[in-house]
Amino acid sequence: MQITHGCLREALSSQLGSVLTPELAATIEFLAFDRTDHAIDPARFVPRAYRGILFAVESFRAVLPELEPLHAAHYAETEKHLPADAMAPDYAYMAERERIGSLLQFTARDADGALVGNLRMYLGFSLHTGRRFAEEDTFYLAPAARRGWVANAFLAYAEDALAELGITEARADTKLVNTASKLLRRRGYAPIAIKFIKQLREA
């Protein structure tokens, strides 16, 4: 049976912070070779309607073609500190994260069923506390969907779904070019760090 670097990387990353024992080594070996789909079943989460928008959990792999235009729009809006040609998402890696059960994709659709928002969370365990956490990768609503309290309701839906999974800590970051920090503070998120980025010269 063939093993890829991506499979091994995912198997190792899913066990970060654990003491390496013969039993854990066997688990990592199994995860690296196992191609069974361990994705969290979206059907376990009940969709929620809010002011003409339907929030739900869907398969990242299934909705990827719809997600790509939103991802590009989000990137153009929030990643102005990066070179214009820098967008090169590793969708295969994201799909693999979903397959092993460590990615959850939330969607927002309008009355016609069109995708107007997405929130993607990576699931893991803190290396410092052992607590289960979910870390936001992308949170975006198309401009036409940014009305009333839609963003707040979308995030609330995601938090409820994460709580159902036993996750006790939600993490998110926000760029200085937008006002998402207001939403996060309103929902009880507390700023704990400032992230710095420096573009280094290519070798």
Side-chain angles (χ1 to χ4, degrees), residues 19-42:
V19 176
L20 184 60
T21 63
E23 293 77 17
L24 181 58
T27 298
I28 292 173
E29 181 182 20
F30 171 78
L31 291 173
F33 282 96
D34 178 33
R35 303 313 298 159
T36 305
D37 197 331
H38 298 283
I40 299 169
D41 184 5

Side-chain angles (χ1 to χ4, degrees), residues 7-178:
C7 297
L8 180 59
R9 179 177 59 185
E10 288 305 320
L12 290 169
S13 66
S14 69
Q15 303 299 322
L16 286 177
S18 303
V19 176
L20 184 60
T21 63
E23 293 77 17
L24 181 58
T27 298
I28 292 173
E29 181 182 20
F30 171 78
L31 291 173
F33 282 96
D34 178 33
R35 303 313 298 159
T36 305
D37 197 331
H38 298 283
I40 299 169
D41 184 5
R44 68 181 291 177
F45 305 100
V46 179
R48 181 183 301 169
Y50 180 83
R51 295 194 174 186
I53 302 292
L54 185 67
F55 306 129
V57 175
E58 298 189 57
S59 165
F60 167 79
R61 289 165 287 179
V63 301
L64 180 55
E66 295 177 274
L67 283 172
E68 290 189 65
L70 287 184
H71 192 182
H74 182 210
Y75 184 91
E77 186 175 320
T78 63
E79 307 300 327
K80 300 182 186 302
H81 60 287
L82 296 175
D85 61 348
M87 184 175 175
D90 190 344
Y91 290 132
Y93 173 78
M94 298 177 196
E96 182 65 10
R97 288 291 297 262
E98 180 178 63
R99 187 193 67 78
I100 67 171
S102 65
L103 179 150
L104 204 58
Q105 178 68 57
F106 298 93
T107 59
R109 295 184 180 276
D110 65 16
D112 296 322
L115 190 68
V116 294
N118 77 99
L119 170 57
R120 187 162 48 257
M121 307 288 283
Y122 292 123
L123 315 181
F125 292 86
S126 170
L127 303 183
H128 305 284
T129 66
R131 298 176 65 188
R132 292 192 69 190
F133 70 86
E135 186 158 4
E136 170 260 343
D137 173 55
T138 298
F139 182 27
Y140 181 74
L141 282 170
R146 298 175 196 174
R147 48 184 169 75
W149 292 81
V150 173
N152 182 73
F154 193 14
L155 188 52
Y157 174 75
E159 291 171 357
D160 290 343
L162 294 170
E164 286 184 34
L165 295 175
I167 291 170
T168 58
E169 183 178 296
R171 303 174 179 178
D173 60 53
T174 178
K175 300 297 190 300
L176 298 178
V177 296
N178 61 33

